[in-house]
């Protein structure tokens, strides 16, 4: 067994134990006061990528903007702009676009994110009498008491909310044959509702679209749980009476195998768009540093995050800060795609209304 050194959020040291079978246990939380973990089966390549990411952040905290070997972040001469990104997409210089997205693309649809003080889901879980907020997504606690998760699942269940302009922009990238893959941290299913095919999605933290019995491991379709979840009851397996759990990735569970498509997707990407994410949860966060240095990266986000803060200077990085929907709309306008985007949203809205009536 090999012991690796990492940094906690309070810049305190703790250890991560890596077993020979490639199972990596991550520790996260505030300082060392409480430890939350996720056992993730990862490749040796991703272990190196993740550790490099941690090292870069460590040096940024120590050295500020001087970088790893001193010197500044470089001049802004030749710095790319949003218009440069739009031109590359419009002229199809970028045809293998990877999108990374987090909760910030879904909050405009009315879904609360997990971490915003006062309004995030973790701050609004007191009603479930949890030992601590994150327990609702811990697999051991779920086995002990699944009721709080299913109460939350009733609120988050696909169909309660509708996709917004950001989801449809990504759908339009797909329709134009320029989306290589979308990597999402979200479990709300709005990407699928916007018409992005499942094969184009890597739902890094799982999905409600499928489910599995926690006892006999029998597979279920997500819609088979719908009535129980909406009724506020815990769904049980028809065969063994075990609890059926949606295929959401909890702390303490392995990432879906589909996640490891990044090993081929990111080396092929010719543009990375990161939107609506704090890039705080590993190993998803490290993917932002997995593209070649020659590949442009566009951040559409409320704040600078991840390698856009602590990484080495890159003149092909572009940050459009502020409201995510406004940033995506600005990109769509620069592309000249707004008429198509509005038509797509209207057509999908009419289809959704028709399905609800039926």
């Amino acid at each position: 067994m090999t012991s690796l050194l990492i940094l906690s959020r309070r810049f305190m040291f703790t250890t991560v134990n890596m077993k020979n079978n490639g199972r990596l246990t991550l520790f996260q939380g505030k300082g060392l006061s409480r430890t939350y973990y996720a056992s993730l089966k990862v490749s040796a390549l991703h272990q190196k990528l993740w550790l490099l990411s941690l090292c870069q952040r460590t040096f940024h905290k120590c050295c500020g903007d001087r970088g790893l070997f001193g010197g500044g972040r470089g001049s802004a001469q030749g710095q790319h702009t949003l218009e440069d990104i739009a031109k590359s997409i419009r002229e199809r210089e970028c045809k293998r676009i990877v999108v990374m997205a987090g909760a910030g693309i879904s909050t405009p649809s009315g879904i609360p994110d997990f971490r915003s003080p006062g309004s995030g889901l973790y701050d609004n879980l007191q009603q479930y009498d949890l030992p601590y907020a994150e327990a609702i997504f811990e697999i051991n606690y779920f086995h002990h008491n699944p009721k709080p998760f299913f109460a939350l699942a009733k609120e988050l269940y696909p169909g309660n909310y509708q996709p917004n302009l950001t989801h449809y922009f990504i759908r339009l990238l797909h329709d134009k044959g320029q989306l290589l893959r979308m990597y999402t941290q979200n479990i709300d299913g709005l990407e699928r509702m916007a018409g992005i095919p499942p094969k184009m999605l890597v739902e890094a933290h799982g999905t409600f679209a499928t489910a599995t019995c926690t006892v006999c491991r029998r597979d279920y379709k997500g819609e088979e749980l719908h009535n129980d979840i909406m009724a506020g009851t815990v769904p049980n397996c028809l065969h063994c009476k075990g609890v059926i759990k949606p295929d959401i990735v909890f702390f303490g569970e392995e990432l879906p195998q589909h996640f490891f498509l990044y090993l081929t997707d990111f080396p092929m990407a010719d543009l990375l768009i990161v939107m609506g994410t704090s890039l705080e949860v590993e190993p998803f966060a490290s993917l932002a540093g997995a593209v070649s240095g020659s590949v442009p990266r566009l951040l559409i986000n409320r704040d600078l995050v991840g390698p856009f803060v602590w990484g080495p200077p890159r003149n092909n990085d572009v940050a459009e800060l502020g409201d995510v929907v406004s940033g995506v709309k600005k990109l769509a306008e620069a592309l000249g795609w707004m008429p198509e985007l509005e038509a797509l949203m209207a057509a999908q809205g009419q289809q959704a209304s028709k399905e609800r009536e039926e």
Side-chain angles (χ1 to χ4, degrees):
M1 181 180 292
T2 303
S3 183
L4 301 176
L5 200 64
I6 67 167
L7 295 171
S8 76
R9 287 186 187 174
R10 287 187 182 175
F11 206 52
M12 299 171 68
F13 289 98
T14 184
T15 60
V16 170
N17 293 322
M18 189 183 298
K19 299 179 181 178
N20 292 333
N21 64 359
R23 188 181 295 274
L24 183 66
T25 302
L26 306 181
F27 294 83
Q28 61 178 359
K30 296 181 179 178
L32 301 180
S33 59
R34 184 178 293 132
T35 300
Y36 311 114
Y37 62 89
S39 290
L40 308 172
K41 183 177 286 186
V42 297
S43 67
L45 177 59
H46 189 273
Q47 291 167 4
K48 293 176 183 177
L49 171 67
W50 183 57
L51 289 170
L52 176 61
S53 164
L54 287 167
C55 289
Q56 287 175 321
R57 274 178 272 188
T58 303
F59 274 93
H60 177 73
K61 286 177 181 286
C62 292
C63 306
D65 286 345
R66 289 177 294 161
L68 197 59
F69 301 106
R73 288 186 59 85
S75 71
Q77 185 176 3
Q79 187 69 40
H80 285 201
T81 66
L82 187 68
E83 288 69 27
D84 294 325
I85 297 288
K87 181 175 181 289
S88 297
I89 298 173
R90 186 173 57 250
E91 297 183 358
R92 302 188 67 82
E93 294 172 11
C94 295
K95 295 183 288 187
R96 297 184 302 275
I97 301 171
V98 171
V99 175
M100 293 175 60
I105 74 166
S106 292
T107 50
S109 293
I111 300 176
D113 69 9
F114 286 90
R115 292 176 176 80
S116 293
S119 62
L121 286 175
Y122 281 162
D123 277 355
N124 295 329
L125 295 175
Q126 304 303 320
Q127 58 184 305
Y128 301 123
D129 195 28
L130 298 167
Y132 44 88
E134 289 85 348
I136 204 166
F137 287 117
E138 281 192 359
I139 192 62
N140 288 338
Y141 186 83
F142 177 86
H143 291 318
H144 168 70
N145 181 15
K147 291 182 179 179
F149 169 76
F150 283 106
L152 181 64
K154 182 178 179 180
E155 169 67 19
L156 293 178
Y157 205 77
N160 292 345
Y161 301 92
Q162 298 301 314
N164 60 63
L165 181 142
T166 300
H167 299 95
Y168 287 114
F169 176 81
I170 301 165
R171 157 73 185 277
L172 195 55
L173 281 177
H174 166 68
D175 289 350
K176 290 178 176 291
Q178 291 174 266
L179 179 68
L180 176 59
R181 202 90 58 194
M182 179 183 186
Y183 287 69
T184 178
Q185 294 175 284
N186 298 330
I187 61 174
D188 48 51
L190 295 184
E191 298 89 1
R192 293 180 184 233
M193 290 181 65
I196 303 171
K199 69 178 182 179
M200 303 302 295
L201 294 171
V202 171
E203 293 155 315
H205 295 168
T207 177
F208 279 106
T210 57
T212 307
C213 173
T214 56
V215 177
C216 71
R217 310 307 297 171
R218 186 177 293 270
D219 294 333
Y220 286 86
K221 294 180 179 179
E223 54 262 31
E224 295 180 77
L225 280 62
H226 179 268
N227 290 341
D228 282 336
I229 290 177
M230 291 300 108
T233 60
V234 175
N236 293 110
C237 180
L238 298 174
H239 302 273
C240 73
K241 305 305 179 184
V243 175
I244 304 172
K245 173 185 162 295
D247 290 336
I248 305 301
V249 180
F250 280 45
F251 296 125
E253 291 192 301
E254 295 178 8
L255 288 170
Q257 280 299 114
H258 208 47
F259 177 82
F260 298 99
L261 282 172
Y262 83 85
L263 289 168
T264 54
D265 285 348
F266 279 72
M268 291 175 59
D270 51 24
L271 172 64
L272 176 64
I273 301 177
V274 181
M275 53 175 70
T277 175
S278 62
L279 289 182
E280 289 185 356
V281 178
E282 295 288 354
F284 185 92
S286 293
L287 295 183
V291 294
S292 165
S294 63
V295 173
R297 299 185 301 190
L298 169 61
L299 176 70
I300 303 177
N301 212 42
R302 184 179 58 193
D303 305 299
L304 289 173
V305 294
F308 296 89
V309 176
W310 47 256
R314 291 173 57 162
N315 67 352
N316 53 1
D317 278 351
V318 177
E320 182 64 34
L321 301 183
D323 175 71
V324 172
V325 169
S326 296
V328 173
K329 186 176 181 182
K330 187 174 179 180
L331 175 59
E333 288 171 343
L335 285 162
W337 288 5
M338 276 307 297
E340 290 177 85
L341 187 53
E342 290 170 347
L344 176 61
M345 293 175 64
Q348 290 291 116
Q350 290 174 0
Q351 181 179 336
S353 297
K354 185 177 179 181
E355 289 173 356
R356 285 194 297 268
E357 291 171 1
E358 293 174 353

